[in-house]
Amino acid sequence: MPIEKYHQQVAECTAILRGRLSLTPSWGIILGTGLGRLVEHLQGGDSLGYEQFPHFPPPTSPSHVGRFVWGHLAGVPVILCQGRFHLYEGYTPRQVALPVRVMAAVGVRNLVVTNAAGGLNPLFQAGDLMLITDHINLQGDNPLVGRNVEGWGPRFPDMSRVYDLELRKLAEEVARERRLRLRQGVYVAVKGPCLETPAETRMLRLLGADAVGMSTVPEVIAGVHAGLKVLGCSVISNVNLPDAMAPIELSEIIATVRQAEPQVVELLLGILERQAQAG
Ligand code: HPA
């Protein structure tokens, strides 16, 4: 698709969302697999299903509702993506990044990405939270491929500091205060939908990754391109050890994430509370 057409699509989706928004969200939060309950803490606001947006593809992933929800969290105006798009669904990186483009266009300056991920670091346990310190893009694709839209961001975005250091420090402080165990590490994104073989798992660990998943990186790249501050948090839903691989069931992944979800909610609410205090 020519970039002009995509640009037009973003503009149309932005107009639809803007027409419904009752606030200007400064934070955008993408909720990954099994993570939806943050919406229960929203005050005021409303929601709009992705089906109301002509260029949003239908979400096909289990446990991804597919809607924007907005309101105040700890006094901060936020917009949440309940459900996201993935490359393994057959969507293009630009389609996957569409919600981020739209959120940036309505005023979001801080982007929080969450996901369920497989642990590669043998010290991790299922149910752990991992603050993403950096990523490796092994998806073989990128939402910025094609002509650059100069109004959105630079042709060659700097990726030396993708995950904002101040936001990471804030997350660490909140975790310490609230006694949440917060691991840290590198997220590697693969295309999926297959889970990894033992040989692939060994390779990903050797490459320097602590967790593997099938999402997040396209949205983060679009976010960096748009100049957003990015914070990423994975829930380690399973731990993959190449010499002792166990079959992974989606239902187990979702069950583990749901168990860890209150901690994710507490971490994010804590971060937003501190943000509200800082004014
Ligand atoms: N691999 C890839 N993606 C995942 C995994 C995994 O083990 N667990 C949750 N998402």
Side-chain angles (χ1 to χ4, degrees), residues 116-118 195-196 212-214 237-238 240 248 253:
L195 291 150
E196 297 70 42
V212 53
M214 305 174 190
S237 56
N238 48 285
N240 304 339
I248 301 164
I253 289 181

Side-chain angles (χ1 to χ4, degrees), residues 217-262:
V217 164
E219 294 115 308
V220 166
I221 289 173
V224 169
H225 188 234
L228 309 187
K229 284 190 186 174
V230 179
L231 183 73
C233 181
S234 295
V235 177
I236 304 301
S237 56
N238 48 285
V239 178
N240 304 339
L241 303 174
D243 296 314
M245 289 290 277
I248 301 164
E249 292 284 338
L250 181 69
S251 56
E252 284 172 31
I253 289 181
I254 293 178
T256 305
V257 174
R258 292 243 156 91
Q259 270 189 357
E261 188 173 22

Side-chain angles (χ1 to χ4, degrees), residues 161-234:
R161 276 166 293 191
V162 171
Y163 297 88
D164 186 78
L165 203 52
E166 272 179 37
L167 292 181
R168 274 159 56 191
K169 280 198 182 130
L170 188 58
E172 281 177 49
E173 274 172 37
V174 169
R176 211 176 303 124
E177 257 172 38
R178 304 196 176 206
R179 298 183 185 282
L180 302 168
R181 184 157 78 166
L182 187 60
R183 311 290 205 157
Q184 303 213 6
V186 173
Y187 176 89
V188 61
V190 294
K191 190 179 270 180
C194 293
L195 291 150
E196 297 70 42
T197 65
E200 288 165 344
T201 301
R202 188 176 293 108
M203 174 192 75
L204 296 173
R205 181 66 185 147
L206 281 171
L207 289 181
D210 296 286
V212 53
M214 305 174 190
S215 69
T216 301
V217 164
E219 294 115 308
V220 166
I221 289 173
V224 169
H225 188 234
L228 309 187
K229 284 190 186 174
V230 179
L231 183 73
C233 181
S234 295

Side-chain angles (χ1 to χ4, degrees), residues 121-170:
N121 184 327
L123 300 177
F124 287 0
Q125 287 170 12
D128 280 350
L129 268 50
M130 184 190 88
L131 193 62
I132 303 177
T133 56
D134 203 351
H135 75 225
I136 300 173
N137 181 10
L138 282 192
Q139 294 193 311
D141 217 332
N142 189 308
L144 307 185
V145 169
R147 247 187 58 216
N148 187 47
V149 178
E150 291 298 322
W152 283 347
R155 169 75 292 190
F156 300 107
D158 180 62
M159 299 295 278
S160 64
R161 276 166 293 191
V162 171
Y163 297 88
D164 186 78
L165 203 52
E166 272 179 37
L167 292 181
R168 274 159 56 191
K169 280 198 182 130
L170 188 58

